[in-house]
Amino acid sequence: MTIRKYLVLLVVIVCAACGDVSLARGMKAFGAVTLANLPTLYTALLNPWVGLGILLLIGFFVSYLSALSWADLTYVLPATSLSYILMVLLAKFFLHEHVTVWRWLGVALIVTGVGFVASGPEATPGAHRHNRIETVYGPVGALGEAADSGVEP
Amino acid sequence: MNHLAVWGGIAAVVIASTVGDILQSRAMKEIGDLGLVRKSEGLGAVIRRVTTNTRFMIGLAFMAVGFFCLLVTLSWGDVSIVGPASASLTFLANALVAHIYLKENVDRRRWMAALCIAGGVALLAQ
C-alpha cells in the first residue's frame, strides 16, 4: 500500500463521517420532514450545513470509487467503516449527543474488525485491471501502455 | 405495519444495496486504478470511462433503489431496527457475494472483519 492509497481511504472515512454529521446538523435546523412540508424540502439546500454535507458526500463517493478501482470490496468496506467511529466521536463532541456504553462496545468491535483486514493484502491477485496487466506483463507506469498495445490482458 | 413487511423491506434494502455495491466494484475492477488512468490519459478519460460503463450505471440505479427502499422501510418500522439491521446484513451479504461473484479472496480474516463490523454497527444503534 502506498501513501496515496492510505490517503484515499482517509478521505473516504473523513468525508463519509463529516458529510453525514453536516447533513444531520442542517436537517435538524430544517425540522422533521412531513407530507405537509415536503414541497419546501428544496429550501433545505439553502442551509450551508446541508450544502457542505452534500459536497462532502460527493467527495466520499469519488474517493470510494477510486478505492474500489485498486482494492477489493471486502477490503474497502471494512477499512472505511472507521467512519462510523469518527461519526460517534463527532456526535459526542460536536453535536453533544449522549453516547451509551453499548455504542462504545460497538466502536470496539468495529476497531477489532478493521484490525483483521488491515493486516492483510488489499486486493486479490489478478482481480483488478492494472494488477492483471502487471501479472502478465510486469509493472506498468500507466494503464494506457498495455491497453493501447492492442493486447487484451 | 407488521413485522413481516418491515423485514421484507429490510431484505429489499439489503438485496438492492448489495447488487449496487457488487456491480460498482466489478465496474471499477474493469476500469482499473483511477489514479493511473488520470496520470496517463487525464481527468476527462476517468469521467468518460466511469460514466460510460454499463455495470457502473446499473449499480448506481440499484443503489438509488436501495436508498428509496430504506426510506420507505424507515417509515414502516423503528429506525433503531431498520438502520442497523440493513447496514449489518448488507455487510455480510457483500462479503458472501464478493466471494462468489467477484471471486475475491474472502479468507477467515475478512469473514471475522465482516462479522465484527456487522455486530459493531448493530450495537451503535443501541
Side-chain angles (χ1 to χ4, degrees), chain A residues 58-81:
Chain A
I58 290 171
F60 154 76
F61 192 59
V62 170
S63 50
Y64 173 71
L65 289 182
S66 177
L68 284 182
S69 73
W70 45 258
D72 288 345
L73 180 66
T74 47
Y75 180 89
V76 174
L77 286 181
T80 56
S81 63

PDB file of all heavy atoms in Angstrom, chain A residues 58-81:
ATOM      1  N   ILE A  58     -20.290  13.912  -1.962  1.00  0.00           N
ATOM      2  CA  ILE A  58     -19.771  13.744  -3.333  1.00  0.00           C
ATOM      3  C   ILE A  58     -18.286  13.351  -3.256  1.00  0.00           C
ATOM      4  O   ILE A  58     -17.833  12.441  -3.956  1.00  0.00           O
ATOM      5  CB  ILE A  58     -19.971  15.040  -4.161  1.00  0.00           C
ATOM      6  CG1 ILE A  58     -21.471  15.252  -4.450  1.00  0.00           C
ATOM      7  CG2 ILE A  58     -19.197  14.976  -5.480  1.00  0.00           C
ATOM      8  CD1 ILE A  58     -21.808  16.590  -5.066  1.00  0.00           C
ATOM      9  N   GLY A  59     -17.547  14.031  -2.363  1.00  0.00           N
ATOM     10  CA  GLY A  59     -16.136  13.686  -2.147  1.00  0.00           C
ATOM     11  C   GLY A  59     -15.982  12.244  -1.693  1.00  0.00           C
ATOM     12  O   GLY A  59     -15.081  11.532  -2.135  1.00  0.00           O
ATOM     13  N   PHE A  60     -16.904  11.821  -0.803  1.00  0.00           N
ATOM     14  CA  PHE A  60     -16.883  10.427  -0.336  1.00  0.00           C
ATOM     15  C   PHE A  60     -17.053   9.471  -1.511  1.00  0.00           C
ATOM     16  O   PHE A  60     -16.304   8.504  -1.666  1.00  0.00           O
ATOM     17  CB  PHE A  60     -18.004  10.198   0.694  1.00  0.00           C
ATOM     18  CG  PHE A  60     -18.476   8.773   0.767  1.00  0.00           C
ATOM     19  CD1 PHE A  60     -17.714   7.816   1.421  1.00  0.00           C
ATOM     20  CD2 PHE A  60     -19.664   8.378   0.153  1.00  0.00           C
ATOM     21  CE1 PHE A  60     -18.130   6.489   1.467  1.00  0.00           C
ATOM     22  CE2 PHE A  60     -20.085   7.069   0.189  1.00  0.00           C
ATOM     23  CZ  PHE A  60     -19.307   6.122   0.858  1.00  0.00           C
ATOM     24  N   PHE A  61     -18.052   9.746  -2.383  1.00  0.00           N
ATOM     25  CA  PHE A  61     -18.369   8.816  -3.472  1.00  0.00           C
ATOM     26  C   PHE A  61     -17.196   8.707  -4.452  1.00  0.00           C
ATOM     27  O   PHE A  61     -16.838   7.611  -4.884  1.00  0.00           O
ATOM     28  CB  PHE A  61     -19.651   9.277  -4.182  1.00  0.00           C
ATOM     29  CG  PHE A  61     -20.208   8.246  -5.117  1.00  0.00           C
ATOM     30  CD1 PHE A  61     -20.578   6.987  -4.665  1.00  0.00           C
ATOM     31  CD2 PHE A  61     -20.359   8.531  -6.466  1.00  0.00           C
ATOM     32  CE1 PHE A  61     -21.078   6.029  -5.531  1.00  0.00           C
ATOM     33  CE2 PHE A  61     -20.869   7.585  -7.344  1.00  0.00           C
ATOM     34  CZ  PHE A  61     -21.225   6.332  -6.866  1.00  0.00           C
ATOM     35  N   VAL A  62     -16.581   9.850  -4.782  1.00  0.00           N
ATOM     36  CA  VAL A  62     -15.460   9.842  -5.734  1.00  0.00           C
ATOM     37  C   VAL A  62     -14.279   9.047  -5.147  1.00  0.00           C
ATOM     38  O   VAL A  62     -13.683   8.196  -5.816  1.00  0.00           O
ATOM     39  CB  VAL A  62     -15.037  11.297  -6.075  1.00  0.00           C
ATOM     40  CG1 VAL A  62     -13.739  11.318  -6.865  1.00  0.00           C
ATOM     41  CG2 VAL A  62     -16.145  11.991  -6.864  1.00  0.00           C
ATOM     42  N   SER A  63     -13.945   9.301  -3.877  1.00  0.00           N
ATOM     43  CA  SER A  63     -12.807   8.599  -3.281  1.00  0.00           C
ATOM     44  C   SER A  63     -13.127   7.116  -3.057  1.00  0.00           C
ATOM     45  O   SER A  63     -12.251   6.259  -3.183  1.00  0.00           O
ATOM     46  CB  SER A  63     -12.382   9.263  -1.972  1.00  0.00           C
ATOM     47  OG  SER A  63     -13.494   9.457  -1.139  1.00  0.00           O
ATOM     48  N   TYR A  64     -14.403   6.806  -2.779  1.00  0.00           N
ATOM     49  CA  TYR A  64     -14.822   5.403  -2.608  1.00  0.00           C
ATOM     50  C   TYR A  64     -14.643   4.637  -3.928  1.00  0.00           C
ATOM     51  O   TYR A  64     -14.118   3.520  -3.954  1.00  0.00           O
ATOM     52  CB  TYR A  64     -16.283   5.397  -2.148  1.00  0.00           C
ATOM     53  CG  TYR A  64     -16.959   4.049  -2.078  1.00  0.00           C
ATOM     54  CD1 TYR A  64     -16.611   3.126  -1.109  1.00  0.00           C
ATOM     55  CD2 TYR A  64     -17.976   3.713  -2.977  1.00  0.00           C
ATOM     56  CE1 TYR A  64     -17.242   1.895  -1.038  1.00  0.00           C
ATOM     57  CE2 TYR A  64     -18.615   2.488  -2.909  1.00  0.00           C
ATOM     58  CZ  TYR A  64     -18.245   1.581  -1.944  1.00  0.00           C
ATOM     59  OH  TYR A  64     -18.870   0.373  -1.880  1.00  0.00           O
ATOM     60  N   LEU A  65     -15.052   5.270  -5.049  1.00  0.00           N
ATOM     61  CA  LEU A  65     -14.873   4.634  -6.361  1.00  0.00           C
ATOM     62  C   LEU A  65     -13.394   4.452  -6.665  1.00  0.00           C
ATOM     63  O   LEU A  65     -12.983   3.422  -7.209  1.00  0.00           O
ATOM     64  CB  LEU A  65     -15.530   5.480  -7.459  1.00  0.00           C
ATOM     65  CG  LEU A  65     -17.050   5.519  -7.489  1.00  0.00           C
ATOM     66  CD1 LEU A  65     -17.527   6.363  -8.654  1.00  0.00           C
ATOM     67  CD2 LEU A  65     -17.647   4.117  -7.588  1.00  0.00           C
ATOM     68  N   SER A  66     -12.596   5.468  -6.309  1.00  0.00           N
ATOM     69  CA  SER A  66     -11.153   5.374  -6.539  1.00  0.00           C
ATOM     70  C   SER A  66     -10.573   4.182  -5.764  1.00  0.00           C
ATOM     71  O   SER A  66      -9.780   3.414  -6.303  1.00  0.00           O
ATOM     72  CB  SER A  66     -10.487   6.674  -6.103  1.00  0.00           C
ATOM     73  OG  SER A  66      -9.106   6.574  -6.255  1.00  0.00           O
ATOM     74  N   ALA A  67     -11.006   4.025  -4.509  1.00  0.00           N
ATOM     75  CA  ALA A  67     -10.510   2.899  -3.694  1.00  0.00           C
ATOM     76  C   ALA A  67     -10.932   1.564  -4.302  1.00  0.00           C
ATOM     77  O   ALA A  67     -10.150   0.610  -4.344  1.00  0.00           O
ATOM     78  CB  ALA A  67     -11.028   3.019  -2.261  1.00  0.00           C
ATOM     79  N   LEU A  68     -12.160   1.494  -4.818  1.00  0.00           N
ATOM     80  CA  LEU A  68     -12.635   0.235  -5.410  1.00  0.00           C
ATOM     81  C   LEU A  68     -11.864  -0.110  -6.683  1.00  0.00           C
ATOM     82  O   LEU A  68     -11.859  -1.265  -7.108  1.00  0.00           O
ATOM     83  CB  LEU A  68     -14.127   0.329  -5.746  1.00  0.00           C
ATOM     84  CG  LEU A  68     -15.113   0.225  -4.593  1.00  0.00           C
ATOM     85  CD1 LEU A  68     -16.543   0.299  -5.110  1.00  0.00           C
ATOM     86  CD2 LEU A  68     -14.924  -1.074  -3.819  1.00  0.00           C
ATOM     87  N   SER A  69     -11.220   0.910  -7.301  1.00  0.00           N
ATOM     88  CA  SER A  69     -10.505   0.648  -8.553  1.00  0.00           C
ATOM     89  C   SER A  69      -9.175  -0.063  -8.319  1.00  0.00           C
ATOM     90  O   SER A  69      -8.583  -0.572  -9.264  1.00  0.00           O
ATOM     91  CB  SER A  69     -10.294   1.955  -9.335  1.00  0.00           C
ATOM     92  OG  SER A  69      -9.301   2.754  -8.725  1.00  0.00           O
ATOM     93  N   TRP A  70      -8.679  -0.089  -7.063  1.00  0.00           N
ATOM     94  CA  TRP A  70      -7.436  -0.822  -6.794  1.00  0.00           C
ATOM     95  C   TRP A  70      -7.531  -1.776  -5.595  1.00  0.00           C
ATOM     96  O   TRP A  70      -6.570  -2.485  -5.292  1.00  0.00           O
ATOM     97  CB  TRP A  70      -6.244   0.115  -6.627  1.00  0.00           C
ATOM     98  CG  TRP A  70      -6.469   1.334  -5.770  1.00  0.00           C
ATOM     99  CD1 TRP A  70      -6.689   2.604  -6.218  1.00  0.00           C
ATOM    100  CD2 TRP A  70      -6.516   1.419  -4.324  1.00  0.00           C
ATOM    101  NE1 TRP A  70      -6.868   3.458  -5.144  1.00  0.00           N
ATOM    102  CE2 TRP A  70      -6.758   2.772  -3.984  1.00  0.00           C
ATOM    103  CE3 TRP A  70      -6.378   0.474  -3.296  1.00  0.00           C
ATOM    104  CZ2 TRP A  70      -6.867   3.204  -2.667  1.00  0.00           C
ATOM    105  CZ3 TRP A  70      -6.484   0.915  -1.984  1.00  0.00           C
ATOM    106  CH2 TRP A  70      -6.736   2.265  -1.681  1.00  0.00           C
ATOM    107  N   ALA A  71      -8.667  -1.805  -4.912  1.00  0.00           N
ATOM    108  CA  ALA A  71      -8.790  -2.700  -3.753  1.00  0.00           C
ATOM    109  C   ALA A  71     -10.097  -3.490  -3.817  1.00  0.00           C
ATOM    110  O   ALA A  71     -11.052  -3.064  -4.472  1.00  0.00           O
ATOM    111  CB  ALA A  71      -8.731  -1.896  -2.457  1.00  0.00           C
ATOM    112  N   ASP A  72     -10.112  -4.626  -3.143  1.00  0.00           N
ATOM    113  CA  ASP A  72     -11.319  -5.464  -3.095  1.00  0.00           C
ATOM    114  C   ASP A  72     -12.430  -4.768  -2.313  1.00  0.00           C
ATOM    115  O   ASP A  72     -12.157  -4.028  -1.359  1.00  0.00           O
ATOM    116  CB  ASP A  72     -11.008  -6.793  -2.397  1.00  0.00           C
ATOM    117  CG  ASP A  72     -10.141  -7.707  -3.251  1.00  0.00           C
ATOM    118  OD1 ASP A  72     -10.021  -7.437  -4.463  1.00  0.00           O
ATOM    119  OD2 ASP A  72      -9.592  -8.670  -2.693  1.00  0.00           O
ATOM    120  N   LEU A  73     -13.685  -5.079  -2.701  1.00  0.00           N
ATOM    121  CA  LEU A  73     -14.840  -4.554  -1.951  1.00  0.00           C
ATOM    122  C   LEU A  73     -14.781  -5.023  -0.497  1.00  0.00           C
ATOM    123  O   LEU A  73     -15.090  -4.273   0.426  1.00  0.00           O
ATOM    124  CB  LEU A  73     -16.136  -5.036  -2.621  1.00  0.00           C
ATOM    125  CG  LEU A  73     -17.445  -4.581  -1.986  1.00  0.00           C
ATOM    126  CD1 LEU A  73     -17.615  -3.074  -2.121  1.00  0.00           C
ATOM    127  CD2 LEU A  73     -18.637  -5.281  -2.635  1.00  0.00           C
ATOM    128  N   THR A  74     -14.341  -6.290  -0.300  1.00  0.00           N
ATOM    129  CA  THR A  74     -14.287  -6.845   1.059  1.00  0.00           C
ATOM    130  C   THR A  74     -13.097  -6.295   1.862  1.00  0.00           C
ATOM    131  O   THR A  74     -12.901  -6.669   3.010  1.00  0.00           O
ATOM    132  CB  THR A  74     -14.222  -8.385   1.033  1.00  0.00           C
ATOM    133  OG1 THR A  74     -13.247  -8.794   0.079  1.00  0.00           O
ATOM    134  CG2 THR A  74     -15.568  -8.974   0.693  1.00  0.00           C
ATOM    135  N   TYR A  75     -12.291  -5.445   1.239  1.00  0.00           N
ATOM    136  CA  TYR A  75     -11.251  -4.712   1.970  1.00  0.00           C
ATOM    137  C   TYR A  75     -11.713  -3.283   2.226  1.00  0.00           C
ATOM    138  O   TYR A  75     -11.582  -2.765   3.341  1.00  0.00           O
ATOM    139  CB  TYR A  75      -9.945  -4.704   1.160  1.00  0.00           C
ATOM    140  CG  TYR A  75      -8.809  -3.968   1.834  1.00  0.00           C
ATOM    141  CD1 TYR A  75      -7.943  -4.627   2.696  1.00  0.00           C
ATOM    142  CD2 TYR A  75      -8.597  -2.611   1.614  1.00  0.00           C
ATOM    143  CE1 TYR A  75      -6.913  -3.949   3.332  1.00  0.00           C
ATOM    144  CE2 TYR A  75      -7.577  -1.926   2.235  1.00  0.00           C
ATOM    145  CZ  TYR A  75      -6.733  -2.611   3.097  1.00  0.00           C
ATOM    146  OH  TYR A  75      -5.711  -1.936   3.721  1.00  0.00           O
ATOM    147  N   VAL A  76     -12.294  -2.657   1.169  1.00  0.00           N
ATOM    148  CA  VAL A  76     -12.673  -1.235   1.262  1.00  0.00           C
ATOM    149  C   VAL A  76     -13.783  -1.026   2.299  1.00  0.00           C
ATOM    150  O   VAL A  76     -13.701  -0.114   3.127  1.00  0.00           O
ATOM    151  CB  VAL A  76     -13.119  -0.700  -0.121  1.00  0.00           C
ATOM    152  CG1 VAL A  76     -13.644   0.730  -0.003  1.00  0.00           C
ATOM    153  CG2 VAL A  76     -11.966  -0.741  -1.101  1.00  0.00           C
ATOM    154  N   LEU A  77     -14.810  -1.885   2.268  1.00  0.00           N
ATOM    155  CA  LEU A  77     -15.935  -1.689   3.195  1.00  0.00           C
ATOM    156  C   LEU A  77     -15.499  -1.771   4.658  1.00  0.00           C
ATOM    157  O   LEU A  77     -15.807  -0.863   5.437  1.00  0.00           O
ATOM    158  CB  LEU A  77     -17.069  -2.673   2.890  1.00  0.00           C
ATOM    159  CG  LEU A  77     -17.892  -2.372   1.633  1.00  0.00           C
ATOM    160  CD1 LEU A  77     -18.991  -3.415   1.459  1.00  0.00           C
ATOM    161  CD2 LEU A  77     -18.515  -0.992   1.696  1.00  0.00           C
ATOM    162  N   PRO A  78     -14.765  -2.830   5.074  1.00  0.00           N
ATOM    163  CA  PRO A  78     -14.327  -2.852   6.486  1.00  0.00           C
ATOM    164  C   PRO A  78     -13.344  -1.728   6.811  1.00  0.00           C
ATOM    165  O   PRO A  78     -13.459  -1.092   7.858  1.00  0.00           O
ATOM    166  CB  PRO A  78     -13.649  -4.218   6.631  1.00  0.00           C
ATOM    167  CG  PRO A  78     -14.152  -5.035   5.512  1.00  0.00           C
ATOM    168  CD  PRO A  78     -14.432  -4.087   4.387  1.00  0.00           C
ATOM    169  N   ALA A  79     -12.390  -1.458   5.897  1.00  0.00           N
ATOM    170  CA  ALA A  79     -11.364  -0.442   6.195  1.00  0.00           C
ATOM    171  C   ALA A  79     -11.997   0.925   6.391  1.00  0.00           C
ATOM    172  O   ALA A  79     -11.573   1.705   7.248  1.00  0.00           O
ATOM    173  CB  ALA A  79     -10.333  -0.403   5.070  1.00  0.00           C
ATOM    174  N   THR A  80     -13.025   1.228   5.600  1.00  0.00           N
ATOM    175  CA  THR A  80     -13.628   2.559   5.692  1.00  0.00           C
ATOM    176  C   THR A  80     -14.747   2.629   6.740  1.00  0.00           C
ATOM    177  O   THR A  80     -15.341   3.683   6.928  1.00  0.00           O
ATOM    178  CB  THR A  80     -14.179   3.003   4.323  1.00  0.00           C
ATOM    179  OG1 THR A  80     -15.101   2.020   3.867  1.00  0.00           O
ATOM    180  CG2 THR A  80     -13.067   3.164   3.309  1.00  0.00           C
ATOM    181  N   SER A  81     -14.996   1.502   7.421  1.00  0.00           N
ATOM    182  CA  SER A  81     -16.021   1.535   8.468  1.00  0.00           C
ATOM    183  C   SER A  81     -15.535   2.333   9.691  1.00  0.00           C
ATOM    184  O   SER A  81     -16.298   2.559  10.623  1.00  0.00           O
ATOM    185  CB  SER A  81     -16.435   0.122   8.879  1.00  0.00           C
ATOM    186  OG  SER A  81     -15.332  -0.528   9.429  1.00  0.00           O
TER     187      SER A  81
END
